[in-house]
Amino acid sequence: MRVYLDHAATTPIDPAASAAMAEASARWANPSSVHAEGRAARAALEDARRRVAAALGWSGAVVFTSGGTEALALALASSGGAHFAGATEHAAVRLATPDARSLPVQADGTIDLAALQAALAGADRPLVAAMHANNETGVLHPIADIARIVRAAGGRLVVDCVQSAGKIDLPDADLLAVSAHKLGGPPGVGALLVRDPAALPTPGGQEGGHRPGTENLPAIMAFAAALEARADRGWAARAGQLRARLETRVAAAGGEVIAARSPRLPTIACLRMPGAEAMLQLIALDLEGYAVSAGAACSSGRVKASHVLTAMGHTERSAGEAIRVSLGHATTAAEVESFAAAWEALAARLTPARAA
Ligand code: PLP
């Protein structure tokens, strides 16, 4: 029996989303076509746009994209002055704006507000990227405070909400990126929520000119359905209780719970087994039936210290001993307890001196 605890990488497609995709096969036409079939597809597309905005509590515009990465790239291509980005941002931000000035985080993983204020002093129309929930640690940045500082500096704020959307309420900002495959929708679809679409580039003929390429209507309809299926956030609170139980056991067995006292998304645990390389842990746990990851899914496979943990003050060695365990909508207490037992047994095996 396999236990999947890598929901922050991708979570299974919700049955409501699968049903919506099947239903979309009846609206297979191109939403840009003028005939009746095309108009029906356009109506379905605009209906999905309204539903996504409503489910996310968003009153501005919604531009559908191929996922979180494209939404962030579009946001960071919007007009403005110098770019600034949190030191623990996802590769999607780091690659889209490689020359951005890095904003340090504190040891608890949150952006240093005093450093942000100092960095923005004198900047002309700064564009600041700050993620809502970190994908490796779950740490939640104080977005309301960050937004206040950015606005006072005359800038705009881009928030990567890929991990938080569908789990907790989204913050208010100028541009927010979301992705369907992290919340029960299919991969390859996401959205940029934008207050002022006039600031976005217009490279194409779809999505208000902000995107070239035929809209992926079945995936977009499934995205809307998945978000609605996550409207009751009780599951995320339950996941938080399961995570607390896991972290208590790991700490008692000699492990370190990274950012244990920081405000965090309830679904992600970052667990360090002192003295045991993360890759060894992953392989051993996989052989025993547990799917977890080291750092970001996109960088697992590469033995490279996490930039997130080193930015928080960990040495490369200690950062290389941490794994990410992420819970999903359907994760059960039995799965988490069984993983905790596997972690304890592995710690006793890989770090016997500690366990003794
Ligand atoms: N931002 C964060 C925080 C993520 O965790 C991910 C995916 O791992 C992305 C952006 C990229 O999203 P997508 O896979 O939809 O392109």
Side-chain angles (χ1 to χ4, degrees):
M1 195 195 71
R2 298 283 304 172
V3 173
Y4 184 81
L5 292 171
D6 198 16
H7 293 269
T10 269
T11 199
I13 298 182
D14 192 277
S18 304
M21 270 204 277
E23 187 207 323
S25 59
R27 301 213 175 78
W28 44 267
N30 189 324
S32 297
S33 298
V34 293
H35 45 61
E37 290 83 352
R39 293 197 306 278
R42 164 69 52 188
L45 175 65
E46 296 312 323
D47 179 56
R49 199 184 308 282
R50 276 188 295 274
R51 289 164 56 204
V52 165
L56 292 172
W58 179 249
S59 57
V62 174
V63 177
F64 286 117
T65 64
S66 64
T69 302
E70 188 193 328
L72 288 162
L74 181 59
L76 291 162
S78 66
S79 55
H83 287 192
F84 297 79
T88 60
E89 293 297 301
H90 187 269
V93 166
R94 292 152 67 84
L95 292 173
T97 180
D99 299 326
R101 188 160 151 197
S102 180
L103 300 166
V105 297
Q106 309 180 103
D108 71 355
T110 61
I111 283 186
D112 182 330
L113 297 178
L116 169 68
Q117 193 140 23
L120 297 189
D124 177 33
R125 296 173 304 131
L127 188 62
V128 178
M131 68 205 313
H132 191 199
N134 184 270
N135 49 296
E136 294 185 32
T137 59
V139 166
L140 292 167
H141 290 284
I143 299 297
D145 294 333
I146 294 171
R148 192 175 27 77
I149 294 170
V150 172
R151 273 186 204 131
R156 283 177 308 130
L157 178 61
V158 178
V159 184
D160 176 348
C161 297
V162 166
Q163 289 295 342
S164 56
K167 294 168 192 136
I168 58 174
D169 289 346
L170 297 192
D172 193 18
D174 301 289
L175 299 130
L176 275 69
V178 297
S179 176
H181 74 108
K182 309 284 191 187
L183 52 86
V189 63
L192 179 65
L193 314 184
V194 50
R195 284 256 168 262
D196 175 19
L200 295 181
T202 46
Q206 279 80 18
E207 294 299 289
H210 302 304
R211 179 166 201 262
T214 305
E215 292 91 348
N216 186 351
L217 185 57
I220 288 170
M221 290 172 71
F223 179 19
L227 266 174
E228 287 166 352
R230 293 289 184 274
D232 173 6
R233 300 276 166 68
W235 75 271
R238 283 191 297 280
Q241 287 160 8
L242 299 181
R243 182 188 64 176
R245 170 88 186 125
L246 167 65
E247 292 183 345
T248 303
R249 285 183 66 169
V250 164
E256 180 190 357
V257 176
I258 309 264
R261 277 178 290 282
S262 309
R264 283 183 297 154
L265 197 66
T267 49
I268 295 181
C270 186
L271 309 175
R272 178 172 161 250
M273 189 183 286
E277 266 182 43
M279 210 38 95
L280 263 183
Q281 299 176 49
L282 292 192
I283 293 166
L285 289 165
D286 184 38
L287 287 172
E288 287 169 34
Y290 301 94
V292 291
S293 69
C298 330
S299 58
S300 56
R302 266 189 286 150
V303 189
K304 190 167 174 280
S306 148
H307 71 283
V308 174
L309 301 185
T310 50
M312 290 166 68
H314 283 264
T315 61
E316 295 219 344
R317 182 170 169 175
S318 108
E321 297 169 343
I323 63 168
R324 177 184 71 183
V325 179
S326 50
L327 285 61
H329 186 246
T331 299
T332 63
E335 286 177 319
V336 174
E337 293 295 336
S338 132
F339 174 79
W343 193 97
E344 288 163 353
L346 187 63
R349 190 145 55 86
L350 293 183
T351 57
R354 249 174 189 283

